[in-house]
Amino acid sequence: MIHYKVLQGSCLELLNTREIDRRIDLTFLDPPFNQNKDYEFFDDDLPDEKYWHFMKEVCSKTLGLTSDGGCLYFMQREKNTENVLTCLRESGWTFQN
């Protein structure tokens, strides 16, 4: 039996609740890219340090809920590759591809 759940809302709020009741096998992370777009519920014009701190917190909390062998697909712009790799490394993820 395949079990899945799609959650909608603030990722940090959801990651801090008991809404996630089992280990995560796959996370598809497609965050706002901090390009000053007009989102209803997110400030997309943060200072870089604050934005990457936020992303690191999301990645760390996600890792803590991920099953052994689980993975994270992290969508980002090519110009942010170094920041993404640093974020993943500092939050405990192992980059593979």
Side-chain angles (χ1 to χ4, degrees):
M1 171 183 257
I2 297 174
H3 176 81
Y4 65 91
K5 183 187 290 189
V6 176
L7 302 175
Q8 183 176 350
S10 166
C11 62
L12 285 179
E13 287 177 19
L14 290 168
L15 290 168
N16 286 321
T17 68
R18 299 204 186 280
E19 184 72 25
I20 301 171
D21 57 359
R22 53 186 350 165
R23 302 303 270 172
I24 299 169
D25 295 317
L26 169 66
T27 298
F28 186 88
L29 182 58
D30 188 8
F33 294 158
N34 207 34
Q35 298 182 93
N36 199 24
K37 291 194 177 186
D38 188 21
Y39 291 106
E40 187 173 348
F41 299 108
F42 184 78
D43 179 4
D44 196 43
D45 191 25
L46 298 172
D48 281 348
E49 184 176 315
K50 188 172 182 177
Y51 175 78
W52 288 106
H53 176 77
F54 165 73
M55 293 310 308
K56 182 179 171 185
E57 187 176 3
V58 170
C59 289
S60 293
K61 290 182 182 295
T62 302
L63 178 62
L65 294 169
T66 299
S67 62
D68 290 340
C71 61
L72 170 76
Y73 285 87
F74 190 145
M75 304 303 290
Q76 257 300 337
R77 298 194 47 157
E78 296 82 8
K79 71 177 190 169
N80 291 329
T81 300
E82 288 302 318
N83 289 322
V84 170
L85 293 174
T86 299
C87 178
L88 291 172
R89 190 170 31 257
E90 290 179 357
S91 62
W93 287 94
T94 301
F95 178 75
Q96 293 185 355
N97 294 318

